[in-house]
Amino acid sequence: MEPPSDFFLSSLCPSGWKTEKGSCVINYQYINSLEKNGGLGQSLPNVKLDPKVIDLGRYLFFDPILSGDKQLSCAHCHHPAYSLSDGRKQSIGKDGTGYGPERKNGVVLKRSAPSLWNVLYMKHLFWEGRAANLEDQADGPLYSPDEMGSSPAIIESRLNENPFYQKMFRLAYGQKGTKISAELVVDAISSFERSLVSFSSRFDKWSTGDKEALSDEELLGYNVFRSFVARCAECHPPPMFTNNVFATIGVLDSGVRDYGRETITGQDLLRGSFRVPSLRNIAKTAPYMHAGNLETLEEVVNFYNEGGGRGNGAPSDLRIHWHVRKMGLSQNEITSLISFLKALTDESSMPKFPKSVPSGLPVALELESYHRSSKK
Amino acid sequence: MEVREGESIQKAIDSLEKGDTVKVFPGIYHEFLFVDKTHFTLSGVIVNGKWPVLDGEAKLNDGVIGSGANFLIENFHIKNYKANGVMTQGAGNIIMRKLIVENTGIYGIYPTMGTNVVVEDTVSLGIADAAIYIGMCHNVDVRRNEVYGSVIGIEIENSTNVLIEGNTVYDNSAGIVAFALPGLPLKKVENVIIRKNFIFDNNHRNFAEPGALVAGVPPGIGIGVMAGDEVTIEGNIIRRNSFAGIGIGDNNLLPNSKSPDPDVEPNPDRNKVLENVFIDNGSRKWNDFISWIFYVIRVVFSGNPIPESPNGGKVGIFPEGYDIVASGKGKDNCLSSPDSVTKIGTSEYGICSPKESTEQIKTMIGDPKLGEAKSDARELGKQVFGAVCSGCHSMTLRTVGPPIKEIQDKYKKDVYGVVSFASMPKKVREGFIEMPSQKYLGNEKLTAVANYILNLKDEGSKGVVK
C-alpha cells in the first residue's frame, strides 16, 4: 500500500477520553464511585495527555521502523485483534514472522505478553515488576536483543531522516520536537499506552445503577467472585480488578523455572510471585498467567478451585499466598464465575489501526482477523 | 419494606432504592444477601425474644456482603456459612451491631477497605479464623462485643485509627491481635487503642485451616501486636492466657507473616503498654508427661514450639510464663510500670510518661464525608450531564437544544418537572428538534441530573461549576 502523502495528527481525544482545556482526561462515565462499586479505597488515575502526542505514539507503536531489523513493532505482541496482547503462551521476539498466535520461527521469550488495557493504572510493569513506569518499561522490548533489538542511536538516526516523522514530532512537541530523541519517542509511545482505557464494561454499567446490565447468572458469578469462599476480590478488587501487589499463587512455568519477583528483590519469600494483573478484558486475553500455561478461563478457575499451586504440585519452596486455597466451588458456581468474568469485557476504546505508517513498512494487520467491536 | 418467614430478603433488597430499610421478621432464612446500594438499612425485628436467623446450612458462601456506603445491619443471628458472616467491601460509614454470628468458616464480621466503621454489641463464636476482622480500614470503633470459641477474637489488619473498647474476649486461641501483614495494598497498622477489655482464658486449640495465616498463632495469647505501630494498651483485665498476656513482635512471628514486602516496616514501634491488670498469664498447663515429650521433640527437630503450626515454619522459641513477651527490634516502645509485670524481651522498652492516657479519645469515627461514596447525587448528576446532556445543552448558548438558563427559568426548582419531561419529552419549541426520551437513565440518575441542571451556575468563560 502506498503511504499517504501526509500523516495527520488528531487533535481529538481518543475514545474513553474527553477534552478538558485542550488536554485529554479519562471519561469515567460509569465509575461514579469506588465505594459504590465495593471497590478499593484507592483513587482512580487522573492523567492529562496531549491528543497529538497520543496519536504520534500510536503511529510509532505500529511502526516496525523502531526495531533493529525493521521487522517488529510494539503492536506485533500487543495487537488490537488480540485485545492488546498476542494470544500466545509465550511471545516470539526477534526473527519471527507474522503476529499473534500465527507468529513463528523467532526467539521464544520466557513469558506471555501482558495486555495493555488500563496499563496506566499499573504500579509495576513487566510480570515481575522490574519497571516502575511505562517510560522505563519501553526500554525493555525496544533494546532487548531478543525482542526489537534496537538502540537509541538506531531510532534517532532513522526517525530524523524521515520527513513525515520530522513534521509529526514538531507538530506534537513544538520546538522540543525539532530534533527527535529516543526519549521523545518513548514519551509518545507511553502517552499512547496510557490512553488505552477500558472502564465501560457491562459490570460498570451495573455498578452505576443499571440493574439490567448483568444477567442473573453473571450476578451470581460476581457474588461468587467476591465471596470469601473464592476470595477473588481480595487481590482483584473492583473497579480496577487488581490490587497492584505481587502474589505467589504457584502457577506452573512453561519450560524453564521462573523465579518471578525474587529475581528483582533477591527475597526468597517472593520466589515465583508475579504482578497481580487486572481482570478487565480477561475473556479476550487468553492464554493466562505469566507463562500462558492455562489456556481458558475454565482452566484458570479450576486451578484456583483446586487450591492453586497447593493443589497442583507447585514446588515446595514457594510461599503460596494464604488467600489461595481449595475452594470447593460447585459446577454452577464455576460456570457463573466465568460468565461474570466475560462481563468485564469492554473494547470500545480500541485504538484505530493505521493502514500505513510513516516509514512505509508493512504493519501487522490482516483485515480478516481484525474485528473491532465498536459501539459508535 | 417488611419481610416475613417464607419470603425472600434479597428480593426485598433488590426492589428498593437507596435510603431504604428492610425489616426482617423472625424466622429462618437460607439466603446469602448482597446489598449494592448506599444508605441502606437491614434490620431484624425481634419478637418475644425470637430473632431472624440467616442459616447457610454449611452450603452457602457468605451471609451478607455489602458494597454501598452508609450501610447499617442489626438484629440478625447469622450461622453456618462456609466463608464469612457479614462482610463489607470498600464501603464506608458502616454500622454493624446487635448481631449473633456463629460457625462461619473464615471470618465472622469482616469490614474491609472502609472508612468510619462501627462494630458493637455483637456476639461471635466458633469462627475458624477471626471472629471480628478489621481489614484495611480507617477510623474504626469496636465496642462491647463478646467473642469466644474462635481462633482469633478480634483482629486488626493493616488498619489505622482503631478503638477496641469494652469487649469481652475469651476462650479463643488469641484474644485481640493487631497485625501488619505483607503483600496487601495498605501497609501498616497505626494508631490503635485497645482499652478496657476483658481478655481471659484465650487458650483454645488453634483449629484454623492449615495454610491459613493464623494457623501459626500459638494458643494462649491475650493481646498480640505484630509489626504494629502506636498501639496503646490500657485498662484491660488480662487473665489466664497461658502463652503470654501481651506479645509484641515483628513480622517473623508467624510462619506466613515474614515480610517480603519492602513497603511494610516489619518492626513494632511507638507502642505503649499503660496500666493493665495482669493475672496468671503465661503459665502453660502441661498436665501430662506425654505432651511434654512431644513438645521437646518438636522443638528440637523443628525449632518450632507451636503445636498446631503448619508449614514447619520457624517462629522463634519463646520461653513461657510471662505477662509481656517481646521479640524483634522496635523503636520507642514503652511500659508504664515495668516492675509490676513479668516480662521478657523488653530490655529496649522505655518507661511511658505517667501523664500518658487515651482518656480524651472517645471515638475514632471521623467526618462522615470521609466514608461517603465519593459520588453523591450531585456528582452523579454532573456525570450524567457530562455523558448524556452536554452534547445538546450548554449553559447560555443554544446548541441542539435550548440552553440550561432557559430550562432553569422555566422550571425554577421543579426537579420532578424536569424528570417527567425528560422521561416523556414533547415537542415544545419551534425550530428545535424533539429530545429523545431519557427514561432509560432510570429515576436515580434522572433526579440527580435534573437537580444538577436546575442548580447549575453560570461561571462565564471558566466553564467550571463549583
Side-chain angles (χ1 to χ4, degrees), chain B residues 261-281:
Chain B
D261 190 332
D263 301 321
V264 174
E265 201 287 314
N267 295 306
D269 302 308
R270 307 183 301 285
N271 299 295
K272 301 185 177 81
V273 180
L274 305 179
E275 293 297 338
N276 296 276
V277 181
F278 291 95
I279 306 168
D280 290 342
N281 293 294

Side-chain angles (χ1 to χ4, degrees), chain A residues 220-267:
Chain A
L220 175 64
Y222 180 41
N223 292 339
V224 173
F225 181 86
R226 56 180 164 164
S227 86
F228 235 61
V229 167
R231 294 188 175 195
C232 316
E234 285 291 288
C235 290
H236 298 283
M240 281 300 167
F241 294 92
T242 170
N243 63 353
N244 264 319
V245 303
F246 295 91
T248 309
I249 59 171
V251 71
L252 303 181
D253 302 314
S254 293
V256 185
R257 177 106 193 247
D258 192 335
Y259 289 82
R261 184 76 178 157
E262 185 189 12
T263 58
I264 308 303
T265 68
Q267 293 159 298

Side-chain angles (χ1 to χ4, degrees), chain B residues 299-364:
Chain B
V299 172
V300 167
F301 281 91
S302 69
N304 180 357
I306 295 163
E308 292 82 8
S309 177
N311 317 339
K314 292 197 180 190
V315 185
I317 302 174
F318 289 131
E320 292 164 22
Y322 296 94
D323 291 329
I324 300 176
V325 172
S327 74
K329 296 186 201 53
K331 286 197 297 291
D332 304 324
N333 299 295
C334 70
L335 305 176
S336 252
S337 36
D339 298 330
S340 64
V341 294
T342 57
K343 59 196 184 299
I344 184 163
T346 57
S347 55
E348 299 290 307
Y349 282 44
I351 297 180
C352 309
S353 139
K355 289 201 289 288
E356 195 70 63
S357 163
T358 62
E359 209 49 48
Q360 69 288 0
I361 295 173
K362 303 295 178 212
T363 176
M364 289 286 190

